[in-house]
Amino acid sequence: MRHLLTAPARPPVYRTLLALAVAAALAGAAMWAVDRFVGWQAMADMAQRVPAQAWGGFGLCITLSYLARVLRLWRLLHDVEPRLRVRRVAPVFFVHNALATLLPARAGEAAMPLLARRWLGMDWAATVGALAWWRLSDLAIFAGLALALLAAGATVLAPLYAAALAACGLPFAAFVLRRPLRRAIARRAPGRALSGLALRMLDGMPAHPHALAADLVLAACAWSAKLAAFALLLHGALGAQAAHPDPLPPWPLLAAAGLAGDASGALPLPTLGGIGPFEAGVTAGLTALAVDPRTALALGVTLHGAILATIVVTGILAFALGLQGERAHRLDALIPGKGAGE
C-alpha cells in the first residue's frame, strides 16, 4: 500500500506564484482589449439577444459532452479498480476539469492523480497512465475532427493538417506497444523502483481491444457534442446580430471556429482559463467566414464565458460532493464488509 500513500512532488511555490502573476497580467490585457474594441455593455446586450433555443441547445450538448467524459474516466479507472462506481468518479473528473482549465500552463492536470488517490483510493501512478492515455486519445479524435472539418472547407484549420494526420495514429501505436513494453520492463529490470512506477502507469492504459474501442467511441461522442454546442451558440448569437453575413456560415465552419478557439485555449500557456488564446482562435475562425472582427471577438468572448461558467459551476459542486463522499468513505471504512470501491 506504500504506493497509494506516495504522491508526486509539488512544484516550488515561487514558480506557481510567477505563473499566476503572468496569467493574471495576460487575462487583464485580454479584458482591456475587449473593453477597448467591443465594450462590456455591448457584450451584455449580445448575450441577451441570443435566442433561448441556442442557449438550450448549448446546455444540452455540453451536458452530453460532460456525461461522455465522465463515463470515459470511469471506464479507464474501472479496469484498474473494478469496484469503482460512476457517482464516485464524477467529482474527480469535474474538479480536475476545472483546475486543468483555469490554472495556467495546464498545471491543474496534476489534480487528477491526487484526487483519485484521496477520493477513490486509486494508485496515483495508474491514474497518471490513464490521464496520459486520455490526452493521447483526445488528441487523435481532435485531429480526426479537424481533418473532417478541413475537408468541409474550414481553411482556418489548414495549419493543423500535417500534425493532425500524424496524431490520428498515436493511440493505436501506444496500444500496440503497451504489452511488449510492459513485458520488457518486467523482464529486464524486476524489482527496481522506476520499473515498478512504469508498470503501474502502463496498467492505467487500455489493455484490450474492446477497452480501446470503448474509449475512442466515448471520446468521439464527447468531442462531437462539444463542437455541436459551440456551433449552436455561435449560430444563434451571430444570427441575432443586426449586421451578420447573409446567409449565415454553414454549421461545420462554425464548429471549426469553435474548435480553433478550444485548441488555442487548451495550449499549455501561462493564461487563466485560456483567456486570450481562446478568443483569438474563435476570432480567427469567424473572420475567415467574413464576420466583422469586432463581432467575431464579441462572439468568442460570449462562447468562452458560457463554457467557463459551466466549468466553474460544475467544479464547485463536484468539490463539495467529493468532500462529502470522502467523509462518508471514512465512515464506511469503519464498518466491516465495506470496501473502497463501494
Side-chain angles (χ1 to χ4, degrees):
M1 295 296 291
R2 179 180 298 179
H3 63 270
L4 295 180
L5 303 177
T6 305
R10 296 182 180 180
V13 176
Y14 73 89
R15 292 184 182 178
T16 302
L17 294 177
L18 178 61
L20 289 174
V22 173
L26 291 176
M31 288 188 288
W32 174 85
V34 173
D35 182 66
R36 174 68 177 80
F37 295 104
V38 180
W40 292 108
Q41 184 58 48
M43 291 296 311
D45 294 339
M46 171 180 287
Q48 291 178 356
R49 289 196 298 268
V50 176
Q53 297 89 335
W55 284 117
F58 171 83
L60 176 60
C61 289
I62 284 293
T63 300
L64 294 175
S65 177
Y66 281 152
L67 177 60
R69 283 183 274 175
V70 169
L71 290 176
R72 278 189 71 196
L73 181 58
W74 171 78
R75 184 67 185 78
L76 287 171
L77 298 183
H78 181 266
D79 286 344
V80 181
E81 175 49 74
R83 294 179 297 172
L84 283 181
R85 303 289 181 85
V86 175
R87 60 180 175 82
R88 294 197 59 209
V89 173
V92 174
F93 164 75
F94 284 112
V95 174
H96 167 260
N97 185 53
L99 294 176
T101 302
L102 299 176
L103 293 182
R106 308 294 294 183
E109 294 285 9
M112 181 176 287
L114 297 175
L115 290 172
R117 183 175 65 92
R118 184 180 182 92
W119 289 352
L120 304 176
M122 294 285 301
D123 175 16
W124 68 265
T127 309
V128 169
L131 178 59
W133 172 267
W134 175 295
R135 295 309 182 198
L136 198 65
S137 56
D138 260 352
L139 184 60
I141 296 300
F142 175 91
L145 290 173
L147 290 174
L149 293 173
L150 184 59
T155 56
V156 69
L157 301 176
L160 302 177
Y161 179 74
L165 281 177
C168 286
L170 289 178
F172 300 99
F175 178 78
V176 170
L177 292 174
R178 177 192 176 277
R179 182 170 295 179
L181 182 60
R182 196 182 190 287
R183 288 176 178 173
I185 294 173
R187 182 175 63 254
R188 296 182 181 179
R192 295 184 181 180
L194 288 179
S195 299
L197 178 62
L199 291 176
R200 287 155 52 199
M201 292 178 65
L202 289 172
D203 286 341
M205 300 181 180
H208 305 287
H210 68 269
L212 168 67
D215 185 71
L216 292 177
V217 168
L218 287 171
C221 291
W223 274 100
S224 299
K226 190 176 186 180
L227 290 184
F230 289 175
L232 282 168
L233 187 55
L234 288 174
H235 187 274
L238 188 57
Q241 304 306 304
H244 61 76
D246 191 18
L248 290 174
W251 292 93
L253 302 189
L254 290 176
L259 186 67
D262 199 59
S264 302
L267 292 174
L269 300 173
T271 62
L272 292 173
I275 296 174
F278 185 100
E279 289 78 5
V282 174
T283 301
L286 291 177
T287 51
L289 303 177
V291 178
D292 177 75
R294 291 190 177 185
T295 301
L297 176 59
L299 290 171
V301 174
T302 301
L303 177 60
H304 200 192
I307 296 167
L308 290 179
T310 66
I311 291 172
V312 170
V313 171
T314 55
I316 292 174
L317 293 176
F319 184 71
L321 291 175
L323 292 180
Q324 181 181 8
E326 182 182 353
R327 288 192 294 267
H329 175 63
R330 289 176 179 174
L331 293 176
D332 290 343
L334 301 176
I335 303 175
K338 289 200 172 184
E342 294 183 358

